[in-house]
Amino acid sequence: MKQKIGNQFVRRYAYNGSIPGPILDVPQGAVINLKFVNMTDTNQTLHPHGLRLDYRFDGTPGIGQMTSVKPGQSFFYQLSFPDSGLFWYHPHIREDYSQDMGLYG
């Protein structure tokens, strides 16, 4: 995606076309299935910050999620929300680059 800042267009990344990414309003105790499609030009993941969840869906390659999601590929995350709270999400690959480009929500 491109975003106009001043008189220039800047290349950005976005979750579902929005920066920050969309708000997911999920009731406590719910479990959701989320299909993550990587439409960027770099490997990515989705790390749901602060959730107690199955480590396989943590979005941390090599520690929880075994591999990153390559450009054009997808990954199905199953996220559970046992606690009430406000949580955020971001990639766990090249956070310095990906978050600055817009991948956070």
Side-chain angles (χ1 to χ4, degrees):
M1 111 179 238
K2 291 186 179 182
Q3 181 179 28
K4 188 173 183 179
I5 299 176
N7 293 325
Q8 296 183 337
F9 284 92
V10 178
R11 187 170 146 246
R12 302 289 304 264
Y13 289 162
Y15 288 120
N16 279 12
S18 70
I19 300 170
I23 292 173
L24 305 175
D25 188 4
V26 181
Q28 183 178 359
V31 176
I32 65 170
N33 295 302
L34 188 135
K35 181 180 180 182
F36 174 74
V37 180
N38 183 0
M39 297 177 70
T40 72
D41 56 0
T42 60
N43 290 5
Q44 296 295 337
T45 64
L46 180 78
H47 175 71
H49 225 278
L51 289 183
R52 289 188 297 136
L53 48 75
D54 184 322
Y55 74 97
R56 295 173 296 169
F57 305 111
D58 181 62
T60 307
I63 295 174
Q65 184 175 323
M66 295 321 302
T67 62
S68 59
V69 183
K70 294 180 175 146
Q73 294 186 344
S74 60
F75 185 83
F76 286 91
Y77 288 90
Q78 184 176 76
L79 306 178
S80 52
F81 294 80
D83 306 304
S84 64
L86 181 64
F87 307 99
W88 71 292
Y89 54 93
H90 63 93
H92 250 229
I93 294 178
R94 288 297 315 267
E95 294 174 64
D96 61 327
Y97 177 77
S98 297
Q99 286 181 55
D100 285 349
M101 293 285 284
L103 289 182
Y104 57 89

